[in-house]
Amino acid sequence: MKTGNPKERSFRFTSILERSENKLWGCHFRVPVRIAKELIDSSSRRVICTLNTSAPFQCAILHRGEGLFLITVNKSLREKLGLDFGMEVQVGLKKDKSEYGLPMPEELQELLHQDTEGKKLFHALTRGKQRTLLYIIGSAKTSPKRISRAIIIVKHLKSNKGKINYRQLYTAMKDPRINPAK
């Protein structure tokens, strides 16, 4: 079912939570082809999703060939919402029109405001790499830890000329000499 004005359409449908063969994702639900095709455009496949009237979260519609579109659900969200494989879920979707597809942590926003080279390097990354870094910073539970991660990431970008070496980055975040918030 479509609701809202044409520019802000939202869609509601029922789907089943399925176990994914891919161990990285854990589980997913299918998105009807007609809805996926309306929400995906050349610039983005990012959407805002609600499951069973949960708090909205940002995600992407994935195309898995043969007319199969799906959205993955990670273990922590599944546990938080009390969902299990085979359960029916009420899904709400609308186009994500945010700049990054994930929230910009205040700590990183302030750091990029102060560090023009870091800002330039961050914005030169692909949208997917930007989202990965936003997730890494935003997933920290405390502000001091988010600040520390933001500083480490910006220093990493600067020392690697805008390239990301994830192994090196994760090592730096685990090193108590580099990351005192660890």
Side-chain angles (χ1 to χ4, degrees), residues 57-111:
F57 61 96
Q58 293 166 296
C59 58
I61 297 175
L62 305 175
H63 184 222
R64 289 292 164 238
E66 300 178 21
L68 176 62
F69 293 91
L70 50 91
I71 292 177
T72 61
V73 180
N74 65 29
K75 183 178 179 181
S76 64
L77 180 60
R78 199 173 71 235
E79 288 175 352
K80 178 181 171 186
L81 299 178
L83 301 174
D84 205 355
F85 305 112
M87 288 181 76
E88 197 172 82
V89 288
Q90 299 302 314
V91 181
L93 293 179
K94 67 180 181 176
K95 189 79 178 153
D96 182 351
K97 297 183 184 219
S98 67
E99 184 174 359
Y100 301 105
L102 279 180
M104 168 63 85
E106 287 179 36
E107 296 82 358
L108 178 60
Q109 186 172 23
E110 183 59 34
L111 181 59

Side-chain angles (χ1 to χ4, degrees), residues 142-160:
T142 66
S143 185
K145 197 166 192 173
R146 287 189 297 274
I147 291 168
S148 178
R149 286 183 181 184
I151 292 168
I152 290 167
I153 286 170
V154 170
K155 282 182 181 178
H156 179 83
L157 289 173
K158 289 162 94 173
S159 67
N160 289 294

Side-chain angles (χ1 to χ4, degrees), residues 13-182:
F13 59 94
T14 301
S15 194
I16 304 292
L17 203 59
E18 301 176 35
R19 186 180 307 267
S20 294
E21 291 178 19
N22 181 320
K23 293 179 182 178
L24 178 65
W25 298 334
C27 69
H28 63 265
F29 61 87
R30 295 177 187 220
V31 178
V33 174
R34 65 179 174 72
I35 294 174
K37 287 186 175 181
E38 280 207 48
L39 289 168
I40 296 173
D41 61 38
S42 61
S43 65
S44 178
R45 52 192 173 92
R46 304 290 301 172
V47 293
I48 298 182
C49 180
T50 58
L51 297 177
N52 297 342
T53 68
S54 67
F57 61 96
Q58 293 166 296
C59 58
I61 297 175
L62 305 175
H63 184 222
R64 289 292 164 238
E66 300 178 21
L68 176 62
F69 293 91
L70 50 91
I71 292 177
T72 61
V73 180
N74 65 29
K75 183 178 179 181
S76 64
L77 180 60
R78 199 173 71 235
E79 288 175 352
K80 178 181 171 186
L81 299 178
L83 301 174
D84 205 355
F85 305 112
M87 288 181 76
E88 197 172 82
V89 288
Q90 299 302 314
V91 181
L93 293 179
K94 67 180 181 176
K95 189 79 178 153
D96 182 351
K97 297 183 184 219
S98 67
E99 184 174 359
Y100 301 105
L102 279 180
M104 168 63 85
E106 287 179 36
E107 296 82 358
L108 178 60
Q109 186 172 23
E110 183 59 34
L111 181 59
L112 295 179
H113 178 71
Q114 296 174 26
D115 187 330
T116 54
E117 182 187 358
K119 181 178 183 175
K120 180 181 171 189
L121 293 169
F122 178 80
H123 286 104
L125 296 169
T126 64
R127 293 290 187 203
K129 288 179 181 175
Q130 288 174 355
R131 279 192 298 276
T132 298
L133 298 179
L134 293 175
Y135 178 79
I136 291 168
I137 296 166
S139 64
K141 292 182 177 27
T142 66
S143 185
K145 197 166 192 173
R146 287 189 297 274
I147 291 168
S148 178
R149 286 183 181 184
I151 292 168
I152 290 167
I153 286 170
V154 170
K155 282 182 181 178
H156 179 83
L157 289 173
K158 289 162 94 173
S159 67
N160 289 294
K161 299 181 177 117
K163 304 287 184 206
I164 303 172
N165 176 325
Y166 289 103
R167 180 171 288 162
Q168 186 183 48
L169 181 60
Y170 284 117
T171 300
M173 285 196 285
K174 290 179 182 179
D175 188 335
R177 293 170 298 158
I178 298 170
N179 187 358
K182 177 74 179 138

